[in-house]
Amino acid sequence: MKFNQKKNIESFIIIGKIGSPYGIKGFIKIFSYTEKKENIFNYLPWFIKKKNLKKF
């Protein structure tokens, strides 16, 4: 499936959020909003929207 840049962003659904990195290798926490937490992996592809990035 190719991403169409003209696709309306409002047609996407939010299935979870990305948490903070952890561990030496920088793994990230994924918080699933699906009924069964592991079902988040049934929804592909994922599109990530940048939100309120802090600049240091």
Side-chain angles (χ1 to χ4, degrees):
M1 177 178 164
K2 281 192 169 182
F3 177 64
N4 183 355
Q5 290 182 348
K6 294 181 181 180
K7 188 166 179 98
N8 189 349
I9 192 78
E10 294 164 356
S11 67
F12 296 136
I13 60 170
I14 299 172
I15 59 171
K17 69 178 183 177
I18 298 175
S20 60
Y22 68 94
I24 294 174
K25 294 185 178 184
F27 294 112
I28 56 172
K29 298 176 187 174
I30 303 292
F31 297 96
S32 175
Y33 296 156
T34 59
E35 189 171 331
K36 292 182 182 178
K37 301 229 181 260
E38 61 274 1
N39 283 350
I40 194 170
F41 299 110
N42 294 333
Y43 295 91
L44 295 175
W46 290 358
F47 296 99
I48 301 171
K49 179 181 173 186
K50 293 180 185 178
K51 183 179 175 183
N52 301 329
L53 296 176
K54 295 179 184 177
K55 294 183 180 178
F56 295 98

